Amino acid sequence: MTASPHDPGRRGIGGGSELLRNGYALVLNVGLTSGLGVAFWVLAAREYSVGDVGRGSAMVSALITLSTLGQLNLTSGLLRFLPRAGNQGARLIARSYVAAALACIVLASGFLLVAPQVSSRLSFLPDSPVMVTAFCGAVVVWSVFALEDAAMTGLRRSVWVPVENGVYGVLKLLLLLLFEEWAPGVGVFAAWVLAAALVLPPVNVAIFRRWLPAHAVAVGGKEFLPGARYLGRYLSMDYLGSACFLVSTSALPLVVVSQLGAEANGYFYVAWTVSSSLDLVSTSLSQSLLVEASHAPERLAEHLRSLLPRLAALLTAAVVLVLLAARLLLSLYGGGYADAAATVVRLLTLAVLPRAVLVVSIAVARVQRRVGKVLAIQASAAAIVLVSAVLLASPLGIAGVALAWLIGQSLLAAVLLPSLVRHLRQGSGPDRPPAVAVEPTLPGTHPTV
C-alpha cells in the first residue's frame, strides 16, 4: 500500500522519516533565525550604545518571558493534540490565540506596575498609558507569533517555519536601521516586535484557509481530542512546569540587569543569545519527536533511536566549534564584548549537551502524558539555577550566572539520563492516558482510549 502524504511512516527527504523531515526543517529554522539573530545583535551593538542595547535586550527578555507565561503552555498543547484534532483543529488554535492574548495583557500590565518598584534599574520600562498599551500589545503579538509556529509544526507544515522566520529576521534588520534614526532609545525593542506584527496576517491566512482543511482530511477517522476536563488538567500542570522552567531561561537576563545593571546585561545577553541558539537544535528535534509520537505513541522508542544519534552529533560539533571560536565570534559585536563575555559564552555552551537530555526527557514525558514528571523536571531546574545565580552573581559577575546555568543543567541531566536510556532500550507501550482521560470528551470528538 502506498503511504499517504501524512502517513507517520512515510519516508521523507533523503530517505528519512517524517520525524527527520520536519525535525531538519526546524533545525534549519534554528540556523537561519540564529544567523539573522546574530546579525541583529551585531548591528545593534555597532549602531546603538551599550546602554541602549542593555535596555533593549532587557525589554526583549521581558517580552519573551511574559509572552511565554501568557501562552499558558498552549504551544505544548498544540504540538501534543493538534496532530490528531481533525476538524476540531481550527477551534483549538483560535481558542489558544484568544486565551493567550487575554493572559498576556494581564501579565504585562502587572509586570509594568510591579517591576520598577522591585529595582530602580528597571525604571526605564514604559509608564505612560500609551506606552503601557503598546507594550501589552507587543506581548500579545509575540505570543501569537510563537503559537502559530507551534500550529504549523503540529500540522506537519514545519517546512514553512524557516520561511516565516527568515522573512521576520530580514524585516527586523531593516527596521533596526530605520529606528536608529527615528527612535534609538526604543529601536531595538520596536524593531523586534513590529517585524513579527507584519508577518502574522499572511501566515494565519495559510493556517486557517489551507493547511487546517487539508490536515483534517488527512487525519480522517483517526481524529480525536481529549475531553475538556482532561485537556485543562494536562495544560495546567504542564503550564506550572513551564512557568518554573522559564525562571531558569528567559528570566536570567532580568536577574542580571536587576543585580548587575544594564551594561552588564548588554554583555551577558549577547553570550546568552549565542548559547540559546544551540539549545534550539534540541528543542526543534524534540518538537518533531512530540508531534510524530503523538500520531503513533507505540513508535516512541523507534523515533528515539532515530533521533538521538543525530542530535548528539549535531550538538557536539556545534559545541566544539563555539568553544574554539568564542572570542572570534564575540569580536563581531565590537567594543569589549570578546573580553567581557568569552568565558560566559563557553560556560553557557558547555551546558548545551546536558540541556538536551532535559529537553528530550520532557518531550518523552509529554508523549506519555506524564505531566507530573514534566513539572518535577522544570521546577527542579528553576530552583537550582535561580538559587545558584543569586549566590554567584555578586562574587563572579555575569560568569557566575553562566556557571549557575551549567550547574543546574548538568545535575538534572545526570539524574534523567538513565531513564532516557531505558526508554531507548525497552520501547514504549500503547498510549494509555491517566484515568481522567476517559471522561466525556468535547462535543464532536472521539475518546482518546
Side-chain angles (χ1 to χ4, degrees), residues 128-377:
S128 69
V130 173
M131 294 304 294
V132 167
T133 301
F135 183 81
C136 292
V139 177
V140 171
V141 166
W142 192 257
S143 179
V144 176
F145 188 62
L147 287 173
E148 71 179 14
D149 278 4
M152 285 189 285
T153 303
L155 293 171
R156 305 171 91 182
R157 301 285 180 170
S158 299
V159 293
W160 287 99
V161 175
V163 175
E164 174 215 30
N165 285 292
V167 172
Y168 164 72
V170 172
L171 286 174
K172 189 168 61 172
L173 287 172
L174 295 175
L175 289 170
L176 186 65
L177 291 173
L178 290 176
F179 282 115
E180 179 194 358
E181 299 293 333
W182 295 348
V186 296
V188 171
F189 181 76
W192 191 279
V193 175
L194 184 56
L198 294 174
V199 171
L200 289 183
V203 172
N204 279 284
V205 168
I207 288 174
F208 284 95
R209 293 193 176 182
R210 297 191 60 183
W211 298 334
L212 272 167
H215 186 74
V217 172
V219 170
K222 296 181 180 180
E223 172 186 326
F224 81 81
L225 192 67
R229 290 181 61 188
Y230 173 72
L231 191 60
R233 293 186 188 185
Y234 178 98
L235 292 174
S236 61
M237 286 283 288
D238 205 16
Y239 174 74
L240 288 175
S242 293
C244 291
F245 202 39
L246 184 62
V247 175
S248 61
T249 54
S250 297
L252 266 189
L254 293 179
V255 173
V256 175
V257 77
S258 64
Q259 293 204 15
L260 302 174
E263 186 169 337
N265 189 56
Y267 294 121
F268 179 82
Y269 197 80
V270 166
W272 181 251
T273 301
V274 173
S275 67
S276 296
S277 299
L278 298 183
D279 284 332
L280 289 175
V281 174
S282 57
T283 300
S284 298
L285 288 173
S286 294
Q287 286 178 348
S288 184
L289 171 69
L290 177 56
V291 170
E292 295 307 316
S294 296
H295 276 282
E298 70 280 358
R299 297 184 61 192
L300 176 58
E302 175 189 344
H303 289 320
L304 282 171
R305 286 191 290 270
S306 178
L307 179 79
L308 290 181
R310 293 168 171 85
L311 176 59
L314 282 172
L315 288 182
T316 300
V319 166
V320 170
L321 180 61
V322 173
L323 289 177
L324 294 175
R327 293 187 64 86
L328 178 61
L329 181 62
L330 289 170
S331 67
L332 297 174
Y333 292 84
Y337 284 92
D339 292 332
T343 299
V344 178
V345 165
R346 292 190 177 105
L347 289 171
L348 294 173
T349 300
L350 285 172
V352 167
L353 289 171
R355 171 73 189 278
V357 176
L358 273 68
V359 172
V360 175
S361 297
I362 289 170
V364 170
R366 282 173 174 155
V367 169
Q368 299 174 329
R369 305 190 196 178
R370 298 178 61 188
V371 286
K373 182 176 180 179
V374 173
L375 175 58
I377 294 171

Side-chain angles (χ1 to χ4, degrees), residues 9-18 20-21 24 306 310:
R10 183 172 70 91
R11 308 304 289 178
I13 296 173
S17 64
E18 279 283 344
L20 299 180
R21 184 178 72 91
Y24 287 150
S306 178
R310 293 168 171 85

Side-chain angles (χ1 to χ4, degrees), residues 30-53:
V30 169
L32 182 63
T33 55
S34 297
L36 290 170
V38 168
F40 178 86
W41 290 110
V42 167
L43 186 60
R46 289 186 174 275
E47 301 298 327
Y48 292 74
S49 69
V50 173
D52 282 342
V53 172

